[in-house]
Amino acid sequence: MATAPPRRAAPPQPMSADEKRVIFASSLGTVFEWYDFYLFGVMTVIIGNAFFTTLAPATRDIFVLLAFAAGFAVRPFGAIVFGRLGDLVGRKYTFLVTILLMGLSTFTVCLLPTYATWGIAAPVTLIALRLLQGLALGGEYGGAATYVAEHAPRHKRGAYTSWIQTTATVGLMLALMVILVTRLEVGEAAFADWGWRIPYACSGVLLVVSVWIRLRLAESPAFARMKSQGRTSRAPLTESFAQWGNLKLVILALFGATAGQAVVWYTGQFYTLYFLQSFLKVDGQTANILVAVALAIGTPFFVVFGTLSDRIGRKPIVLAGCLIAALTYIPLFHALTSYANPRLEAAIESAPVAVVAPPGDCNLILNLTGTAKFHTACDLARLFLANAGVNYDKREDPGSAVATVRVGSVAVPAYDGSAADAREQKARFESAVRAALDAAGYPAQADPIPALGGRWWAIVGLLTLMVIYVTMVYGPIAAMLVEFFPTRIRYTSMSLPYHIGNGWFGGFLPALSFAIVAARGNIYSGLWYPIGIAAMTFVVGLLFVRETKDVDIYARD
């Protein structure tokens, strides 16, 4: 009996004009939305000075990072609200609403009075606008990713949706470039005073362009077909989260994919920027340029890994990115210190700083409300070092009568905050510690770009490597999440684990990592948070998450 010759795979077809338009329109609008969202994250120091003026530096930093994280905190709620709307009404109109909400709340920031003018109403209003941005972004990503995936050919979903994945990085890069150009044009003093409003004002132009683009889009073919047949979900929330079969997929998508992806993303794109400025003393302009160059070099790898996932699968690439990041973050950040501020590294090695105190004198020094008072000598010494961004170790010594700051061989006794002359003691203590740090070679500022020489490329190389980790975990994730869930509840189901992962596990990373550093003293200790979450995702994903690349999403209405 003759056997039929094997069927040849159809030759790859070039992207059609309609497909290009869908990807371009969805991606461009999402770029603008991420630009709006990330302006706050890039300008944390200036925002802190303008809206949280009365707080101590370390507390101010935590407050600003928490205000930044507030936008991420509400993203899961935006995912539920707009995800349900997208599964009931359609993808196109839902993410048209989200971009209007995002754009208007961002533009309003450029008109917002500062603390000096409005008092407490200024930071309260700012946080309220951040919450609106977070709600909008909670509905944006799921709509854009679902819309593009439902237009994509079956074996190109990774490649097509990877363009959506570039938008967060491109939006961040656009924010960095607009801020840099504004800084250069108006000068640092004017930028800190009023120039920071210009990037927010530019969002008004981007809003008009984005709305115009999205009004021209048609509805997703998969959703349009399902709606015409009367098979859309009447209760997307119930089907997504009240039925164990789908809820189990939501949980696996969170812990086995998006949680680890999120911490790798925010470490590589945000915490590196904050680490350079706050701990390595790199000036804002230099740090922005270094990170922007790394983002420009690394961004094409989103498409590289998205396309590769169409061949070898989504799961191996995402999990490999999580594992490699968890294993290499500590040495990479040490290397970043070596190249960005070698004088600081030398000082830490030759004259390490330690706080030596009697048992029970050191308490938790986090001050998230700005109202906590610290009185013990150990707490006051550590608070001063945390505010100054100094790396230190904490040691208990039963033989110590009072907490002492040791800078190499120099010992400076701390003071009791309850003493009658505490203010005078504080001034003498801080002056003595600063003199000891200066004598030990601790630099007040890292070298600017002209003085970096060949180290410039080494820093960019390290930052680019961490951006490539981001592209590994993030490039394939949209296709993976779309393929996890059926069409009728896809928008709702994929949005929640994505935004819990990125909004909570990732969005709180800068604040949590900085708080860990402030509490423990070691500038590298904050890295254990992303390392732990990335390792967890690798294990859960390896054991329990299935591969999705060959799933027929149209067969799962």
Side-chain angles (χ1 to χ4, degrees):
M1 181 176 176
T3 59
R7 295 178 62 185
R8 293 183 178 180
Q13 298 295 318
M15 195 181 295
S16 69
D18 284 344
E19 290 169 342
K20 289 179 181 178
R21 184 169 59 253
V22 164
I23 293 174
F24 175 77
S26 301
S27 300
L28 190 60
T30 308
V31 165
F32 293 161
E33 194 147 8
W34 282 114
Y35 165 86
D36 289 351
F37 196 74
Y38 284 153
L39 284 178
F40 191 102
V42 176
M43 296 191 289
T44 51
V45 175
I46 290 174
I47 294 293
N49 291 335
F51 291 93
F52 299 93
T53 311
T54 60
L55 302 177
T59 304
R60 183 188 307 161
D61 287 343
I62 295 174
F63 254 82
V64 175
L65 290 173
L66 286 173
F68 177 60
F72 293 93
V74 298
R75 279 170 57 175
F77 302 102
I80 291 173
V81 172
F82 292 109
R84 177 178 180 275
L85 189 64
D87 283 328
L88 288 173
V89 178
R91 293 30 169 152
K92 170 190 171 179
Y93 293 105
T94 301
F95 67 41
L96 183 61
V97 173
T98 62
I99 204 163
L100 276 169
L101 184 59
M102 171 66 79
L104 291 173
S105 56
T106 302
F107 180 76
T108 303
V109 176
C110 82
L111 307 173
L112 189 63
T114 63
Y115 189 94
T117 304
W118 253 21
I120 192 65
V124 168
T125 306
L126 179 70
I127 293 172
L129 292 172
R130 286 293 300 168
L131 294 175
L132 288 176
Q133 289 177 328
L135 286 172
L137 195 59
E140 164 63 25
Y141 175 83
T146 300
Y147 186 79
V148 171
E150 291 178 350
H151 277 86
R154 178 173 180 175
H155 300 296
K156 292 185 178 180
R157 282 195 293 268
Y160 280 35
T161 56
S162 65
W163 290 97
I164 291 292
Q165 304 308 94
T166 68
T167 60
T169 298
V170 174
L172 172 57
M173 189 162 52
L174 181 61
L176 287 171
M177 295 310 296
V178 171
I179 290 168
L180 179 61
V181 170
T182 306
R183 270 182 155 141
L184 292 174
E185 288 295 320
V186 305
E188 283 295 322
F191 185 80
D193 183 29
W194 57 267
W196 61 268
R197 298 180 183 274
I198 295 175
Y200 280 101
C202 291
S203 67
V205 178
L206 301 181
L207 172 62
V208 173
V209 173
S210 300
V211 170
W212 176 75
I213 287 172
R214 292 197 169 178
L215 283 172
R216 302 180 65 196
L217 295 177
E219 184 53 84
S220 149
F223 183 85
R225 182 182 66 181
M226 189 173 61
K227 188 173 183 179
S228 68
Q229 296 170 352
R231 292 186 293 111
T232 56
S233 174
R234 295 183 178 180
L237 295 180
T238 301
E239 289 189 44
S240 294
F241 310 123
Q243 297 178 7
W244 173 243
N246 200 76
L247 179 61
K248 179 175 68 175
L249 295 178
V250 171
I251 295 171
L252 287 177
L254 172 60
F255 291 104
T258 61
Q261 164 260 305
V263 296
V264 173
W265 179 21
Y266 285 98
T267 301
Q269 295 192 164
F270 276 103
Y271 194 64
T272 50
L273 181 63
Y274 195 79
F275 187 86
L276 285 170
Q277 294 181 79
S278 293
F279 301 129
L280 301 189
K281 312 301 182 184
V282 178
D283 68 271
Q285 181 175 310
T286 299
N288 284 355
I289 292 173
L290 291 168
V291 172
V293 172
L295 292 174
I297 296 172
T299 294
F301 285 90
F302 284 107
V303 180
V304 170
F305 287 115
T307 303
L308 184 62
S309 75
D310 287 327
R311 299 181 181 180
I312 69 172
R314 329 293 186 204
K315 176 178 171 178
I317 298 174
V318 173
L319 297 188
C322 288
L323 179 62
I324 295 170
L327 293 175
T328 61
Y329 271 154
I330 295 291
L332 284 175
F333 275 81
H334 274 278
L336 200 59
T337 303
S338 298
Y339 288 109
N341 199 337
R343 289 180 295 152
L344 175 63
E345 182 185 47
I348 291 174
E349 291 179 358
S350 63
V353 178
V355 176
V356 182
D361 199 42
C362 299
N363 304 295
L364 190 65
I365 62 170
L366 295 184
N367 187 10
L368 299 182
T369 64
T371 59
K373 302 296 182 182
F374 302 100
H375 300 287
T376 71
C378 178
D379 291 349
L380 293 170
R382 291 162 58 222
L383 189 64
F384 170 72
L385 294 174
N387 285 336
V390 175
N391 184 80
Y392 69 90
D393 292 323
K394 183 182 69 173
R395 304 173 195 164
E396 286 191 351
D397 181 6
S400 297
V402 65
T404 301
V405 174
R406 295 181 181 174
V407 183
S409 60
V410 177
V412 181
Y415 63 99
D416 182 357
S418 301
D421 61 342
R423 182 171 297 182
E424 291 78 10
Q425 290 190 50
K426 175 183 178 183
R428 290 195 297 269
F429 165 75
E430 293 183 356
S431 177
V433 173
R434 289 188 189 278
L437 291 171
D438 291 340
Y442 279 84
Q445 196 74 29
D447 294 330
I449 285 180
L452 287 175
R455 291 186 283 128
W456 192 88
W457 287 108
I459 298 168
V460 169
L462 291 168
L463 295 173
T464 300
L465 182 59
M466 286 188 270
V467 172
I468 290 175
Y469 293 172
V470 174
T471 65
M472 289 181 69
V473 299
Y474 199 54
I477 200 74
M480 186 178 186
L481 292 174
V482 166
E483 293 158 349
F484 245 68
F485 303 103
T487 304
R488 59 190 284 113
I489 54 173
R490 179 170 295 134
Y491 200 149
T492 304
S493 295
M494 73 165 285
S495 292
L496 188 64
Y498 175 83
H499 286 293
I500 290 179
N502 285 269
W504 292 358
F505 285 92
F508 283 98
L509 184 148
L512 286 173
S513 293
F514 181 79
I516 292 170
V517 172
R520 297 183 59 85
N522 189 292
I523 62 174
Y524 304 105
S525 59
L527 294 170
W528 288 110
Y529 171 71
I531 288 172
I533 299 298
M536 175 202 70
T537 290
F538 173 77
V539 173
V540 173
L542 184 67
L543 296 179
F544 301 109
V545 174
R546 60 184 172 82
E547 180 54 62
T548 64
K549 80 176 180 70
D550 294 321
V551 168
D552 181 2
I553 63 174
Y554 296 98
R556 303 183 67 210
D557 289 351

